[in-house]
């Protein structure tokens, strides 16, 4: 079955969906409201499930070549003592790959270049979707309209199409955490490929990149909407006396590079990921907290499964039913686990609870950490002919 599709949103999920659809012979137009297609975010970790989805889409090799494998790292306390070490080699043995770290801009570029430029329409904002046109779907844009056999709503965490399609759904909720993050402007000498450090209600982490620079993120319990005149100075005040290399990472950062976002999620799961000939995908379908580093990996899984379902099912309707059945339970269970990981990790504040968690982590054998990661990362991708 071939056809035409409009993908709303040119983020990681939308671009991956477009690549998958083109691989199975569909005509695809991606509409992106931003005037330029470039992800300005910081860095991202990709687990084996995300990398396997990228392999299915034909871009895994290019991403692996640009990314840095995470062999050495783990979780520490603010004084520097290790709570848990992560054995990337053991993960690689189990899954064929360790976790990898890559700047978002590089991942985005690799996804973009896997698509012909004429598929990508920038500065085009979808205002709504007409879901019941028989056999076709219409996407009104601020300036004009497009029609297709299928619409993929990949318009991100604040999805306008989700709000239109599910008016009864309560929508996003604030997770209780805010995140400041940046990429260093120069290489930093690091003994590990990645680290997380947990204090009370606060986490500082880094992901090292192939070129020696690193991204850092500082996640804090906070009321929503708090902003700082100088975000780097505020991060230094909170984390500057934590262990090495945290001060060095902050010293290697330009003040204008720091991004600050409140973290929202879909705490109430959507009842279904499809509506007529529309599929919701990525954060539009299952916005989750970043505490497991799985949001983009789940979007990549969505893209691979959607393409496989459309390639093998006899109709768009049956393909979308299969997409919903395969993707909704899994992505929603990962979202629940991410929320739980945040509560037990970064968000935990009670000193006794923090001490008990840290003791458990210190005592647990390293295979427990590997098993925790395998629970979500060991996903079998569909075949895409
Ligand atoms: C701090 C943080 C760290 C994270 N770390 C990781 C990690 O390490 N690993 C991981 O797997 N995930 C991680 N994630 C999650 C990951 O970033 C997201 O899950 C992923 O980027 C979602 O991709 P998406 O394409 O669904 O949405 P987005 O990337 O938000 O893309 C949506 C796109 O749609 C466009 N758009 C929106 N509305 C319209 C419209 N009406 N018309 C046209 N275009 C529109 C937007 O401009 C945007 O380009 C993290 C998230 C956060 C917040």
């Amino acid at each position: 079955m071939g056809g035409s599709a409009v993908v709303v949103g040119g983020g990681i999920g939308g671009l991956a969906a477009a690549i998958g659809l083109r691989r199975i012979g569909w005509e695809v137009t991606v509409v992106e409201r931003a005037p330029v297609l470039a992800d300005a975010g910081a860095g991202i970790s990709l687990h084996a499930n995300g990398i396997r989805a990228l392999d299915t889409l034909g871009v895994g090799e290019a991403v692996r070549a640009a990314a840095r494998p995470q062999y050495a790292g783990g979780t520490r306390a603010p004084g520097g003592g290790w709570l848990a070490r992560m054995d990337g080699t053991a993960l690689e043995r189990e899954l064929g790959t360790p976790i990898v770290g890559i700047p978002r801009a590089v991942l985005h570029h690799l996804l973009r270049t896997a698509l012909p430029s004429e598929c990508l329409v920038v500065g085009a904002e979808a205002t709504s979707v007409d879901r019941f046109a028989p056999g076709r779907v219409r996407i009104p844009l601020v300036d004009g309209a497009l029609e297709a056999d299928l619409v993929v709503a990949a318009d991100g965490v604040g999805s306008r199409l989700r709000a239109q399609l599910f008016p009864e759904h309560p929508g996003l909720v604030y997770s209780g955490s805010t995140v400041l993050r940046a990429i260093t402007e120069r290489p930093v000498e690091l003994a590990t490929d990645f680290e997380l450090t947990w204090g009370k209600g606060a986490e500082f982490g880094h992901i090292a990149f192939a070129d020696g620079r690193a991204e850092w993120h500082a996640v804090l319990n906070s009321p929503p909407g708090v902003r700082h005149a100088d975000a780097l100075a505020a991060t230094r005040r909170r984390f500057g006396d934590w262990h090495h290399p945290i001060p060095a990472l902050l010293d290697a950062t330009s003040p204008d590079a720091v991004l600050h976002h409140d973290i929202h999620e879909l705490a109430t799961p959507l009842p279904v990921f499809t509506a007529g000939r529309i599929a919701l995908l990525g954060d539009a379908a299952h916005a989750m907290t970043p505490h497991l580093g799985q949001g983009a990996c789940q979007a990549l899984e969505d893209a691979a499964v959607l393409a496989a379902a459309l390639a093998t099912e006899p109709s768009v309707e049956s393909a979308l039913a299969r997409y919903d059945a395969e993707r909704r339970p899994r992505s929603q269970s990962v979202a629940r686990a991410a929320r739980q990981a945040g509560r037990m990790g970064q968000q935990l504040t009670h000193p006794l609870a923090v001490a008990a968690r840290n003791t458990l982590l210190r005592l647990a054998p390293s295979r427990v950490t590997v098993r925790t990661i395998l629970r979500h990362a060991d996903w079998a991708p569909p075949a895409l002919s």
Side-chain angles (χ1 to χ4, degrees):
M1 177 194 22
S4 61
V6 172
V7 176
V8 179
I12 293 169
L15 294 179
I19 294 169
L21 290 168
R22 279 185 49 82
R23 275 179 86 81
I24 58 159
W26 280 55
E27 276 174 37
V28 185
T29 306
V30 179
V31 293
E32 166 56 51
R33 71 178 169 195
V36 180
L37 256 180
D39 191 329
I44 195 158
S45 288
L46 295 173
H47 290 247
N49 55 318
I51 298 169
R52 287 174 180 172
L54 287 165
D55 281 333
T56 303
L57 300 171
V59 283
E61 215 36 67
V63 171
R64 261 190 290 271
R68 172 159 161 171
Q70 298 180 348
Y71 287 112
T75 308
R76 302 171 80 170
W82 286 99
L83 302 177
R85 300 300 288 250
M86 225 283 301
D87 182 353
T89 313
L91 260 190
E92 187 172 39
R93 255 196 322 273
E94 293 281 349
L95 296 170
T97 174
I99 300 167
V100 303
I102 187 165
R104 276 173 190 267
V106 173
L107 175 60
H108 204 263
H109 174 79
L110 292 171
L111 295 173
R112 254 179 1 245
T113 48
L115 290 166
S117 55
E118 62 272 17
C119 285
L120 308 172
V121 183
V122 292
E125 179 162 5
T127 54
S128 59
V129 55
D130 293 343
R131 82 195 258 202
F132 294 121
R136 301 280 284 170
V137 207
R138 192 168 167 276
I139 286 280
L141 303 170
V142 167
D143 183 8
L146 288 170
E147 264 196 34
D149 301 317
L150 168 74
V151 164
V152 179
D155 50 342
V157 59
S159 172
R160 186 171 184 166
L161 300 190
R162 178 182 65 225
Q164 182 204 339
L165 295 168
F166 298 95
E168 309 293 316
H169 187 273
L172 292 175
V173 295
Y174 179 54
S175 68
S177 298
T178 196
V179 58
L180 297 108
R181 54 195 166 140
I183 295 181
T184 60
E185 58 183 351
R186 55 178 185 272
V188 181
E189 209 160 303
L190 295 167
T192 53
D193 303 309
F194 83 96
E195 283 178 21
L196 289 182
T197 301
W198 283 340
K200 292 190 191 98
E203 167 183 305
F204 192 99
H206 76 249
I207 301 171
F209 297 141
D211 64 5
R213 292 178 307 146
E215 88 108 56
W216 58 259
H217 63 264
V219 194
L220 289 160
N221 292 356
S222 163
V226 174
R227 290 296 176 270
H228 310 280
D230 182 340
L232 183 59
T235 312
R236 254 202 202 99
R237 279 195 297 278
R238 182 71 177 77
F239 296 94
D241 62 348
W242 285 25
H243 65 81
H244 176 77
I246 292 171
L249 286 161
L250 298 176
D251 286 348
T253 303
S254 154
D256 6 313
V258 183
L259 305 170
H260 188 175
H261 295 105
D262 293 338
I263 298 170
H264 291 85
E265 62 160 332
L266 275 185
T268 305
L270 287 182
V272 61
F273 281 1
T274 62
R277 289 173 161 250
I278 305 156
L280 285 96
L281 180 145
D283 281 4
H286 44 65
M288 62 187 73
T289 67
H291 296 105
L292 285 178
Q294 273 286 345
C297 294
Q298 292 302 308
L300 295 169
E301 287 190 18
D302 292 344
V305 169
L306 179 63
L310 287 163
T312 44
E313 290 292 327
S315 67
V316 170
E317 288 76 8
S318 59
L320 293 194
R322 180 169 138 198
Y323 169 74
D324 178 59
E326 285 188 28
R327 294 304 307 142
R328 193 160 40 85
R330 169 157 166 86
S331 58
Q332 291 179 345
S333 107
V334 174
R336 268 194 310 279
R339 188 179 315 125
Q340 191 57 21
R343 284 186 184 148
M344 297 308 295
Q346 175 265 313
Q347 294 183 327
L348 205 60
T349 51
H350 194 285
L352 289 178
V354 168
R357 176 203 63 201
N358 289 358
T359 305
L360 277 176
L361 282 173
R362 276 194 205 97
L363 294 176
S366 78
R367 65 174 185 282
V368 173
T369 316
V370 170
R371 268 213 305 273
T372 312
I373 292 170
L374 288 179
R375 201 174 301 148
H376 308 297
D378 194 7
W379 167 81
L384 248 198
S385 49

